Amino acid sequence: MKVDVLTYLAAASFVAMVTGGRSSSRRKHKEVFLGENSKFKFGGRIDYKLKRQDSTKTLLIKSEQLLRIEEHDFAMRPGFGGAPIPVGIDVQVESIDSISEVNMDFTMTLYLRHYWKDERLAFPSGNNQSRTFDSRLVKKIWVPDVFFVHSKRSFIHDTTMENIMLRVYPDGKILYSVRVTVTALCSMDFSSFPLDTQNCSLELESYAYNENDLMLYWKNGNDSLRTDEIVLSQFFIEHFQASSGLAFYSSTGWYNRLFITFILRRHIFFFMLQTYFPTMLMVVLSWVSFWIDRRAVPARVSLGITTVLTMSTIITGVSASMPQVSYVKAVDIYLWTSFLFVFLSVIEYAAVNYCTTLEEMRKMKRGKIPSTFNASQAMAFDGCFHDNDIELTTFPRLAPTLTSDPLTSPTQSSDMRPTEGTRLRRQRSVRENVDLLVNNSYMIDSYSRLAFPLSYLLFNTIYWSMYS
């Protein structure tokens, strides 16, 4: 019996030695395999401590437990029932994406950062380091409900994840940052368009908390608003300005409101090329008809109609790209005045043609124009009749009338004669001047060659001095 027990113990010892050897061999081979892989991955450096120092495994408690989120009601603001919680704001404008005159709005992309303190999220830290989280933790704590007043559309960027950052410090201070694009209303005044300057603003305000619960302010004063280098196609940004104020609602009270104000000055060169220069050329082109033979009816009529239709097209194109406002814009004044000059040049030829017809009919009745008269041969180089083809009626000279008195001596009557060298002239009446133009219709073109350019030059001088 004793021999059997000793035999059994010896067999058990042998099995344990064999099993232990195999296990040791497996661990040895596994360490060699890990060592070779570590050598392949880390360039020959075998760091076993790196595998053991995974921060997500060494933490004794989770972030939610560290911040004691489950112990508090984060539906209530910090310090509920006490003084209003101060929330600092700073903004970095990344870009102004578009400005629409038709919709009267602008689109801006910016980084919106909030600063406040919530002692409920304070946590112990030996090295006083903050902890940074993404949007998953934001939904579980209290954050300010800041919104954009007069915004039409807005969204938080979500590529590749939501662009939200939450940083919590050990003393409970919080930094909450979002990247947002907002389209907001801008009340524009187009009375000086396109020589205008627009004043737009983006307004921030708490939606639920009035000034008794939340105090919204710029964290660093005027330095709270920072901008990158922004270049726009039609506008030049003069300056950005941060300001604050109060907004009153009859049902809820007073609210703190922050303003991001920026002034836009429009570039005029684009409109000079697209609107003003073509308009000037059309007006000048309409004056060419003053140098064309007044008997060349097809040439002058077609030129006048072409310039009128071109001006109508320019006016229609400008109006289509502008909002339908109820007041007159600066560009409207220029376009419609230029259109009036073009229209008057057509009316001028109608007057010239009518006066020429009356003149020829009168000469036909007087027999001044023979039946073999050729009008093309009777025209001068400037489109006027020759002097020998025009009848100019002279006004009779008025002889001085002297009253004679039988008692007056001849010496006294000789003293009453007009002084030698003086002439008496009778001024023409309006009717006589009109008759003169009718009888000499070429004079209308001659006067128009000077009157139209001088009038248009005077208009441009007044226009650009007023709106520049």
Side-chain angles (χ1 to χ4, degrees):
M1 186 68 179
K2 188 176 181 180
V3 175
D4 293 337
V5 173
L6 293 175
T7 304
Y8 176 78
L9 293 175
S13 300
F14 179 77
V15 171
M17 290 177 60
V18 174
T19 304
R22 291 180 179 177
S23 299
S24 175
S25 177
R26 286 197 192 102
R27 287 195 299 269
K28 183 176 180 181
H29 286 299
K30 185 175 181 180
E31 291 174 358
V32 171
F33 176 75
L34 289 174
E36 290 178 353
N37 286 342
S38 300
K39 183 178 180 180
F40 177 76
K41 289 182 178 180
F42 302 104
R45 182 175 59 85
I46 302 175
D47 191 359
Y48 298 105
K49 295 182 180 180
L50 185 63
K51 309 180 189 64
R52 299 172 184 172
Q53 292 181 353
D54 188 355
S55 60
T56 61
K57 294 182 179 180
T58 57
L59 288 176
L60 299 178
I61 56 177
K62 297 181 179 180
S63 298
E64 297 181 7
Q65 297 175 347
L66 178 66
L67 300 177
R68 298 172 296 171
I69 293 179
E70 300 297 335
E71 299 180 6
H72 302 281
D73 182 11
F74 284 95
M76 310 298 292
R77 70 170 180 87
F80 177 76
I85 175 175
V87 177
I89 298 290
D90 73 42
V91 172
Q92 181 175 351
V93 179
E94 181 181 2
S95 64
I96 297 179
D97 304 322
S98 64
I99 298 174
S100 175
E101 291 88 356
V102 177
N103 299 323
M104 283 192 176
D105 58 23
F106 64 92
T107 302
M108 178 186 294
T109 299
L110 51 89
Y111 297 94
L112 179 61
R113 302 183 181 95
H114 311 70
Y115 302 86
W116 75 95
K117 185 175 183 179
D118 192 347
E119 296 181 352
R120 296 173 296 183
L121 297 177
F123 61 90
S125 176
N127 51 10
N128 199 26
Q129 289 184 350
S130 62
R131 295 184 180 272
T132 304
F133 307 95
D134 56 15
S135 60
R136 286 171 287 190
L137 188 65
V138 172
K139 300 176 182 178
K140 299 179 180 180
I141 66 172
W142 182 90
V143 293
D145 58 340
V146 175
F147 79 104
F148 299 99
V149 185
H150 306 308
S151 65
K152 297 181 178 180
R153 296 174 299 275
S154 61
F155 63 91
I156 297 175
H157 292 260
D158 55 359
T159 305
T160 57
M161 291 286 292
E162 284 188 307
N163 297 170
I164 296 177
M165 187 267 291
L166 181 70
R167 182 171 296 169
V168 183
Y169 293 88
D171 58 353
K173 292 183 179 179
I174 299 173
L175 166 61
Y176 172 53
S177 176
V178 294
R179 180 170 176 255
V180 60
T181 295
V182 56
T183 301
L185 175 68
C186 179
S187 298
M188 300 182 182
D189 181 16
F190 296 106
S191 58
S192 300
F193 178 88
L195 305 169
D196 56 336
T197 300
Q198 301 297 338
N199 191 348
C200 299
S201 64
L202 184 64
E203 303 173 7
L204 295 84
E205 183 181 309
S206 174
Y207 189 82
Y209 301 98
N210 57 22
E211 64 173 355
N212 297 323
D213 291 322
L214 189 145
M215 184 180 65
L216 208 61
Y217 69 98
W218 291 110
K219 187 176 187 301
N220 299 315
N222 294 330
D223 297 333
S224 301
L225 181 60
R226 295 182 294 273
T227 59
D228 298 333
E229 185 177 358
I230 301 175
V231 179
L232 301 177
S233 59
Q234 292 191 19
F235 291 93
F236 172 76
I237 303 177
E238 291 190 349
H239 72 278
F240 278 89
Q241 182 180 0
S243 59
S244 59
L246 291 174
F248 177 74
Y249 299 91
S250 58
S251 58
T252 54
W254 293 89
Y255 290 79
N256 294 112
R257 181 175 293 185
L258 304 181
F259 300 89
I260 302 174
T261 305
F262 54 97
I263 298 178
L264 302 172
R265 182 166 53 85
R266 195 182 305 272
H267 294 302
I268 187 61
F269 187 71
F270 170 80
F271 295 93
M272 292 295 295
L273 293 178
Q274 298 295 323
T275 303
Y276 286 98
F277 284 159
T279 301
M280 293 178 184
L281 292 178
M282 287 300 104
V283 174
V284 174
L285 183 61
S286 67
W287 300 339
V288 176
S289 63
F290 302 152
W291 279 267
I292 299 178
D293 186 354
R294 67 178 184 272
R295 299 182 185 277
V297 177
R300 296 189 68 163
V301 171
S302 60
L303 179 60
I305 296 300
T306 300
T307 52
V308 168
L309 293 178
T310 304
M311 284 299 304
S312 301
T313 303
I314 295 175
I315 294 174
T316 303
V318 173
S319 300
S321 61
M322 292 296 299
Q324 305 300 321
V325 295
S326 59
Y327 50 85
V328 179
K329 302 181 289 293
V331 68
D332 295 334
I333 296 176
Y334 194 88
L335 291 177
W336 283 104
T337 304
S338 300
F339 182 83
L340 180 62
F341 274 90
V342 174
F343 180 76
L344 289 178
S345 67
V346 179
I347 299 301
E348 185 270 348
Y349 177 64
V352 170
N353 187 269
Y354 178 74
C355 293
T356 302
T357 304
L358 290 180
E359 181 183 358
E360 292 180 355
M361 290 178 62
R362 290 181 180 180
K363 289 185 178 182
M364 289 291 290
K365 291 180 180 180
R366 296 174 184 176
K368 293 291 184 179
I369 301 179
S371 58
T372 59
F373 177 73
N374 190 353
S376 61
Q377 296 178 359
M379 303 298 291
F381 180 75
D382 59 350
C384 304
F385 283 110
H386 291 286
D387 293 339
N388 54 2
D389 294 326
I390 302 175
E391 179 184 1
L392 296 178
T393 59
T394 59
F395 294 98
R397 180 176 297 178
L398 298 178
T401 58
L402 300 176
T403 58
S404 60
D405 191 352
L407 300 178
T408 305
S409 61
T411 306
Q412 293 177 352
S413 62
S414 62
D415 295 337
M416 296 179 61
R417 294 177 182 177
T419 307
E420 185 179 359
T422 60
R423 296 180 181 179
L424 298 178
R425 293 183 180 181
R426 182 172 61 88
Q427 294 183 353
R428 299 191 186 106
S429 63
V430 176
R431 181 180 179 82
E432 291 175 345
N433 289 329
V434 172
D435 291 338
L436 180 61
L437 290 177
V438 171
N439 295 329
N440 304 278
S441 57
Y442 69 94
M443 296 178 61
I444 301 178
D445 280 340
S446 300
Y447 292 150
S448 298
R449 295 169 192 171
L450 184 63
F452 274 74
L454 290 179
S455 300
Y456 196 66
L457 180 62
L458 178 62
F459 162 71
N460 276 273
T461 303
I462 297 174
Y463 179 86
W464 294 107
S465 62
M466 287 180 58
Y467 291 102
S468 296

